[in-house]
């Protein structure tokens, strides 16, 4: 379950919080239309200032000159790279809504060995990896392709939106929200019964008689 308290609808007093909750959460509090639990909205309702700041970012989707497919490629790849099942899943759905074929949506996870993306799309995916996995260390050749195809304003928007969703991916994992509400995958695998205490390093390095 989420690590922070979910705010019930009857406790929501901020009109912006109420608006988004009533628009997105199905009747009876049974999650959202996309199949997610909807607890992001209820946990972020703990602080309406933070809630409002987050949803303000959605205004970037209106009146933007950046191709929405490029925007979503950056977001899907950010979700994959940051290992957020929620961000990855939601934005895969958005790519499909924009008409991107299924095989291309699935190929975002292994874009480096896929021939389904054009030069600009490959640069966008490489850029997302550089932002998320390399902390913003972007090779000049990657940036040169972006510059060849996009004006500076759109590169700035792509940068901002990709980093914004890396933040969301990190937060939902930390707070165990939505599809990222799952146990830690990396745990010690128990030794067989009767194993006892052994120094494996000593076993492996000991000289044989």
């Amino acid at each position: 379950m989420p690590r922070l308290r979910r705010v019930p609808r009857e406790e929501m007093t901020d009109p912006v919080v109420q608006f988004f909750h009533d628009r997105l959460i199905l009747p009876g509090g049974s999650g959202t239309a996309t199949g997610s639990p909807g607890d992001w909205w209820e946990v972020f309702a703990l602080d309406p200032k933070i809630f409002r700041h987050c949803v303000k970012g959605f205004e970037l989707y209106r009146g933007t000159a950046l191709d929405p497919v490029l925007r979503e490629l950056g977001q899907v790849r950010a979700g994959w790279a940051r290992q957020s099942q929620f961000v990855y899943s939601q934005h895969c759905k958005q790519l499909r809504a924009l008409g991107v074929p299924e095989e291309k949506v699935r190929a975002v996870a292994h874009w480096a060995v896929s021939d389904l993306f054009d030069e600009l799309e490959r640069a966008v995916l490489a850029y997302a990896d550089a932002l998320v996995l390399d902390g913003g260390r972007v090779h000049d050749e990657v940036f040169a392709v972006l510059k060849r195809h996009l004006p500076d304003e759109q590169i700035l928007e792509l940068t901002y939106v990709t980093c914004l969703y890396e933040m969301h991916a990190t937060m939902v994992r930390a707070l165990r929200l939505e599809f990222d509400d799952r146990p830690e995958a990396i745990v010690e695998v128990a030794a067989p019964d009767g194993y006892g205490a052994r120094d494996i390093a000593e076993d492996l390095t000991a000289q044989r008689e």
Side-chain angles (χ1 to χ4, degrees), residues 26-156:
L26 296 173
S30 55
T32 70
T34 62
S36 71
D39 52 35
W40 187 97
W41 306 94
E42 295 166 344
V43 168
F44 273 69
L46 286 166
D47 190 326
K49 297 187 301 300
I50 293 175
F51 187 103
R52 283 171 172 260
H53 188 274
C54 287
V55 299
K56 188 77 172 174
F58 301 153
E59 292 183 7
L60 284 171
Y61 290 8
R62 297 203 303 265
T64 177
L66 179 66
D67 183 342
V69 171
L70 299 180
R71 178 195 72 211
E72 294 299 325
L73 285 175
Q75 291 172 310
V76 170
R77 187 62 194 181
W80 173 270
R82 191 47 69 215
Q83 303 175 52
S84 168
Q85 193 163 13
F86 178 56
V87 171
Y88 175 74
S89 296
Q90 296 300 89
H91 291 277
C92 280
K93 296 176 178 63
Q94 190 61 29
L95 277 177
R96 291 190 192 95
L98 292 169
V100 176
E102 181 66 27
E103 63 271 20
K104 195 168 182 177
V105 174
R106 294 190 177 278
V108 172
H110 53 87
W111 72 267
V113 294
S114 171
D115 60 2
L116 296 176
F117 302 99
D118 63 27
E119 180 185 58
L120 175 55
E121 291 169 338
R122 290 178 64 81
V124 167
L125 292 164
Y127 189 49
D129 279 359
L131 293 172
V132 178
L133 299 176
D134 294 331
R137 186 185 184 197
V138 183
H139 198 283
D140 287 344
E141 293 297 325
V142 173
F143 214 87
V145 177
L146 296 177
K147 292 279 287 185
R148 191 154 61 239
H149 291 274
L150 299 174
D152 287 1
E153 293 82 1
Q154 292 182 30
I155 296 174
L156 176 61

Side-chain angles (χ1 to χ4, degrees), residues 176-195:
R176 291 196 175 175
L177 301 176
E178 304 291 350
F179 299 137
D180 291 306
D181 181 12
R182 59 189 193 276
E184 173 58 55
I186 307 302
V187 296
E188 182 186 1
V189 177
D193 291 342
Y195 169 79

